[in-house]
């Protein structure tokens, strides 16, 4: 990770952008104090509906609460 002060970053912005596109993170600092990181933009990927279809199975008793757990919620002890 390379660090550049704002003045130098403004002067060499095109070169710094190219370095970021090549995978290097560039830190831009103000008086030696890091302020921002320049790195490539990665667009959000959109989910496709139905991608998990046929890959997940839900048990028939999925929404049934076992008696011992229900008893624990009530504070009953065995």
């Amino acid at each position: 990770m390379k660090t550049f002060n704002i003045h130098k970053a403004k002067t060499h912005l095109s070169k710094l952008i190219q370095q970021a596109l090549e995978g290097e993170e560039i830190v831009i600092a103000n008086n030696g104090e890091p302020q921002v990181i320049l790195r490539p933009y990665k667009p959000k990927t959109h989910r496709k509906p139905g991608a998990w279809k046929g890959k997940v199975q839900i048990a028939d008793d999925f929404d049934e609460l076992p008696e011992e757990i229900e008893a624990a919620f009530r504070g009953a002890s065995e």
Side-chain angles (χ1 to χ4, degrees):
M1 196 176 325
K2 294 181 182 176
T3 302
F4 296 88
N5 277 318
I6 291 174
H7 178 72
K8 191 170 183 179
K10 288 192 305 185
T11 304
H12 300 285
L13 184 59
S14 296
K15 291 178 184 178
L16 296 178
I17 289 172
Q18 186 58 43
Q19 289 177 11
L21 290 173
E22 292 170 0
E24 187 162 355
E25 287 191 347
I26 308 294
V27 175
I28 299 176
N30 188 10
N31 293 324
E33 182 72 26
Q35 300 292 307
V36 296
I37 297 176
L38 180 64
R39 60 178 168 249
Y41 172 74
K42 294 181 183 174
K44 290 183 179 181
T45 56
H46 295 284
R47 297 186 306 159
K48 295 180 183 177
W52 282 82
K53 189 173 186 174
K55 296 180 181 179
V56 177
Q57 293 181 1
I58 299 175
D60 292 335
D61 64 348
F62 172 77
D63 57 352
E64 294 177 15
L65 188 62
E67 288 183 30
E68 60 272 9
I69 294 176
E70 185 179 346
F73 276 111
R74 288 193 316 262
S77 60
E78 293 182 27

